[in-house]
Amino acid sequence: MGRALLHRNYRLFFFGQGISLIGTWLTRVATSWLVYRLTDSALMLGLVSFAGQIPTFFLAPFGGVLVDRWDRHRMLVVTQALAMVQSALLAFFSLTHTITVAHVLALSAFQGVINAFDTPARQAFVVEMVEDRADLPNAIALNSSMVNAARLLGPSVAGVLIAAVGEGTCFLIDAISYIAVLASLLMMRLQPAAPTAARSRILADLHEGLRYVASFAPIRAILLLLALVSLAGVPYAVLMPIFAARVLGGGPHSLGLLMGASGIGAVAGALLLASRRSVLGLGRMLVIAGALFGAGLVAFSFSRWLPLSILLMVIVGGGMMVQMAASNTLLQTLVDEDKRGRVMSFYTMAFFGMAPFGSLVAGWLGARVGAPMTVRLGGFLTLVGVALFLRKLPALRRVVRPIYVKLGILPEIASGLGQTTNKQ
């Protein structure tokens, strides 16, 4: 389950990023609670989330082009340093009691710009940290485990810290936590980067990547499903303060429990993926996870009892994480190496870039038809998208089969994207 940790560079990254991500989740929960405390508005929650993610939608494709051109390690050092500055500014304004929603909007947008370059660079850099490609799926699953272990711990700690000392302390801890990931990056031993060949214009590279994604059916289908889930389902998190305070009659502690329960499910899903030795079966698992995510959201929207809501959040978190990580693994396996950065930028665009539109719609709908109905609709649309993907899965397997055979993942008599016809 932990074989990718045998690689020194990945091991450094895993532990450094793991510490930093706990701080990141402190900031996410503290930001949502701060905005809700200042405005008491579902629409404003959606607007802040929109501001923090919309730059990723527009800039991630350009970030992907630069990832394919520049040194990925150096890019990560710069983006992580800038993210530290962003958290430090949030802490300064909050601890000096001068923070306003305008500050939060501006700094959220700044973080969105950073993420547009950081996320595709981080996803593509995994290949450089793990020398043995057979360990790549395990590394991606462990990444998801790390992210969601932080997601489990961070919101729970944030709920306690917000109630005890306020949001500013969460922001400050986040800023300090970036020291760990910067140290891990600087301690890595990397092979000298190969000289970069002369490249065409950035727009030409971007068009090439877009044409590649649009013409290759498996990658196109995975990205479209991920985009739909991010648009309709993932924005449920924006409305969690309302569920905690109004629907379930709690406060910051209830919010931490709900987000922590989602993290428990996500960690369980990530460990399940990490225990797998092959990408075979991931297409089918992607469908099952997406269905659990959508059904869990629909059931959660009807719950008015905190213990039941916590249990359903475990299912929701597990389904969302497995669907996202399985998509990532399949994309990283199928993509041509010279287009990896661009494809992972479209992954970033689909998963993180569509979420702001969903957050804005969720905030708007939440203010008009209520948070439960909004989450219910998102879960239903997720189920529709999963059903359409399932219908296309047999045809996608036929396209993927030659690639898996070439990579040595499948023998000659097999079918791709998740299932062999060899019964041995």
Side-chain angles (χ1 to χ4, degrees):
M1 186 177 291
R3 58 191 180 275
L5 294 175
L6 297 175
H7 303 275
R8 180 182 182 275
N9 289 336
Y10 181 79
R11 187 167 62 249
L12 284 169
F13 177 81
F14 182 87
F15 291 109
Q17 188 75 14
I19 293 171
S20 178
L21 283 170
I22 295 174
T24 298
W25 276 103
L26 291 181
T27 286
R28 289 185 182 180
V29 176
T31 299
S32 65
W33 191 260
L34 173 65
V35 172
Y36 186 61
R37 178 172 63 80
L38 292 175
T39 66
D40 193 33
S41 168
L43 179 60
M44 192 55 66
L45 283 170
L47 184 61
V48 168
S49 182
F50 179 84
Q53 294 172 311
I54 191 60
T56 302
F57 180 82
F58 290 107
L59 296 178
F62 296 97
V65 172
L66 297 181
V67 168
D68 282 335
R69 290 172 173 235
W70 293 353
D71 184 290
R72 296 165 184 171
H73 176 261
R74 197 168 299 166
M75 281 188 69
L76 284 174
V77 171
V78 173
T79 56
Q80 292 295 300
L82 290 174
M84 176 192 282
V85 172
Q86 189 266 358
S87 295
L89 288 172
L90 274 174
F92 171 78
F93 288 120
S94 184
L95 292 172
T96 58
H97 305 289
T98 58
I99 197 162
T100 65
V101 175
H103 288 122
V104 177
L105 282 169
L107 289 171
S108 295
F110 178 48
Q111 184 64 56
V113 173
I114 296 169
N115 289 341
F117 298 89
D118 177 81
T119 305
R122 185 155 20 97
Q123 297 291 342
F125 187 57
V126 173
V127 179
E128 297 182 29
M129 291 185 288
V130 179
E131 292 86 0
D132 187 349
R133 291 297 179 89
D135 292 335
L136 181 59
N138 179 253
I140 294 171
L142 287 178
N143 264 357
S144 299
S145 303
M146 169 180 61
V147 169
N148 289 290
R151 182 182 178 185
L152 169 61
L153 182 60
S156 303
V157 175
V160 174
L161 286 176
I162 293 170
V165 292
E167 301 89 356
T169 301
C170 294
F171 301 142
L172 180 61
I173 293 173
D174 184 23
I176 295 172
S177 73
Y178 279 100
I179 296 174
V181 69
L182 285 169
S184 72
L185 287 169
L186 295 174
M187 290 170 64
M188 288 182 182
R189 300 169 186 163
L190 297 167
Q191 294 294 330
T196 304
R199 303 296 295 264
S200 57
R201 293 177 303 170
I202 288 180
L203 288 179
D205 277 3
L206 180 59
H207 183 262
E208 180 189 34
L210 181 60
R211 186 172 61 249
Y212 173 76
V213 167
S215 62
F216 189 23
I219 288 181
R220 183 179 69 238
I222 292 168
L223 289 176
L224 286 175
L225 176 60
L226 190 63
L228 175 63
V229 170
S230 299
L231 178 67
V234 172
Y236 80 89
V238 172
L239 300 174
M240 280 299 101
I242 296 175
F243 275 93
R246 293 183 185 175
V247 179
L248 299 170
H253 183 62
S254 298
L255 176 62
L257 287 174
L258 290 171
M259 300 298 287
S262 178
I264 289 175
V267 170
L271 292 176
L272 173 65
L273 286 178
S275 67
R276 295 172 55 86
R277 291 188 173 275
S278 171
V279 296
L280 298 179
L282 282 185
R284 182 173 59 252
M285 184 172 283
L286 193 156
V287 170
I288 294 171
L292 284 174
F293 179 49
L297 287 177
V298 172
F300 176 79
S301 72
F302 285 104
S303 175
R304 298 297 181 271
W305 186 39
L306 182 60
L308 177 59
S309 296
I310 290 173
L311 176 61
L312 291 170
M313 275 294 101
V314 174
I315 297 173
V316 167
M320 183 182 75
M321 200 294 310
V322 172
Q323 200 264 345
M324 177 269 294
S327 299
N328 189 328
T329 303
L330 287 168
L331 292 173
Q332 293 266 32
T333 304
L334 296 172
V335 66
D336 293 342
E337 181 57 39
D338 65 334
K339 300 179 183 67
R340 186 177 300 276
R342 280 165 285 180
V343 169
M344 297 319 296
S345 75
F346 287 115
Y347 166 85
T348 302
M349 187 178 178
F351 187 64
F352 298 102
M354 292 302 295
F357 297 101
S359 297
L360 197 61
V361 172
W364 181 80
L365 278 177
R368 283 158 178 75
V369 301
M373 179 59 72
T374 302
V375 170
R376 196 172 307 150
L377 289 172
F380 175 75
L381 288 174
T382 297
L383 291 173
V384 171
V386 170
L388 292 174
F389 183 86
L390 177 61
R391 185 179 178 183
K392 295 180 179 180
L393 191 56
L396 297 177
R397 283 181 175 141
R398 288 192 293 271
V399 176
V400 165
R401 176 182 173 274
I403 299 173
Y404 279 8
V405 170
K406 180 179 178 181
L407 293 173
I409 297 171
L410 281 177
E412 287 294 335
I413 305 175
S415 63
L417 241 175
Q419 192 174 31
T420 65
T421 56
N422 189 341
K423 299 299 183 183
Q424 296 181 351

